[in-house]
Amino acid sequence: MRQISKYYKILQMRLEIAIFAAAMNECKPNTEGQEPTAARANRFRQCERLRLRSMVETLFAEGRTVYEWPLRAVVLPFEAERLDGMFRGHIPEHTGPLQMLVTVPKRKRRHAVDRVVCRRRVREAWRLHRQPLYEVLRGQTQTRTLAVGLVYVADRNVDYARIAKAVSRIIGKISERLEKGEGCEDRS
């Protein structure tokens, strides 16, 4: 019985995401066979994924925390000089201006299916709501890359609408800190 209920949870999650994506999709299909520009802008590209071990370790060691239940965000802006020092003068090719990773601790969500569902929901919410951060980063001259780590802290599955609301609030808080210039200071 437990196995069947897991499959129903997965199907329900896929249905929620499909319904939300259909509601949020404002661009109409292009008749020339080309992809619409709005859909192209919303992709979650490889250069936006935080995957380099040295950057991840530095992020969690020195980053600042922003909390909005069910997520905790760890944020750290990297200047160009710092990245040069980390990578011996050669910044990797796929290092974009905004990089993000999602982690769902095994201690909070025991079953892998639940961790994957949570990770997908957070990633989708980030993909749809990240644009204000790009606008703030365009105005920043000192920040080369903004690294953001989103940690899922709830001990149960939270619906997509609540996660999307939390992600948008976190992005708003990060944007405010960057505009004030607070994001580049060390923790005190």
Side-chain angles (χ1 to χ4, degrees), residues 57-183:
E57 288 173 353
T58 306
L59 170 68
F60 284 105
E62 302 173 16
R64 296 180 144 228
T65 302
V66 177
Y67 182 80
E68 186 68 40
W69 191 88
L71 299 171
R72 178 173 58 95
V74 183
V75 182
L76 184 65
F78 287 97
E79 294 81 18
E81 300 84 30
R82 185 171 189 174
L83 286 177
D84 281 337
M86 287 175 72
F87 299 110
R88 298 181 186 155
H90 174 69
I91 299 173
E93 187 176 312
H94 295 291
T95 306
L98 180 61
Q99 292 196 325
M100 186 272 292
L101 75 89
V102 180
T103 180
V104 182
K106 196 172 187 178
R107 184 175 286 186
K108 296 287 184 179
R109 304 299 309 140
R110 280 284 185 209
H111 301 285
V113 174
D114 294 333
R115 289 194 300 272
V116 169
V117 166
C118 296
R119 201 174 308 123
R120 284 182 179 172
R121 288 178 181 173
V122 172
R123 202 179 304 130
E124 179 69 8
W126 177 267
R127 185 183 71 82
L128 294 174
H129 297 286
R130 69 178 179 234
Q131 206 57 39
L133 272 180
Y134 273 113
E135 294 169 7
V136 171
L137 286 174
R138 284 187 195 112
Q140 296 278 327
T141 57
Q142 60 198 23
T143 303
R144 161 67 169 81
T145 299
L146 180 68
V148 180
L150 295 174
V151 181
Y152 190 85
V153 295
D155 57 354
R156 60 182 170 83
N157 284 357
V158 178
D159 63 332
Y160 176 79
R162 181 67 180 111
I163 291 175
K165 190 175 181 182
V167 167
S168 65
R169 285 185 179 171
I170 285 173
I171 289 174
K173 289 178 182 180
I174 294 170
S175 299
E176 287 176 11
R177 281 189 179 182
L178 285 174
E179 287 174 350
K180 291 180 183 177
E182 295 177 6

Side-chain angles (χ1 to χ4, degrees), residues 14-73:
R14 286 182 181 169
L15 181 63
E16 286 177 9
I17 290 175
I19 290 171
F20 183 80
M24 295 301 292
N25 190 7
E26 299 174 359
C27 56
K28 296 178 177 71
N30 196 342
T31 56
E32 300 172 0
Q34 296 177 351
E35 195 174 1
T37 56
R40 197 177 309 137
N42 269 341
R43 285 185 181 166
F44 190 60
R45 301 190 182 279
Q46 180 158 359
C47 66
E48 297 172 334
R49 299 169 195 234
L50 183 59
R51 66 196 182 287
L52 299 170
R53 180 181 295 235
S54 57
M55 288 181 72
V56 172
E57 288 173 353
T58 306
L59 170 68
F60 284 105
E62 302 173 16
R64 296 180 144 228
T65 302
V66 177
Y67 182 80
E68 186 68 40
W69 191 88
L71 299 171
R72 178 173 58 95

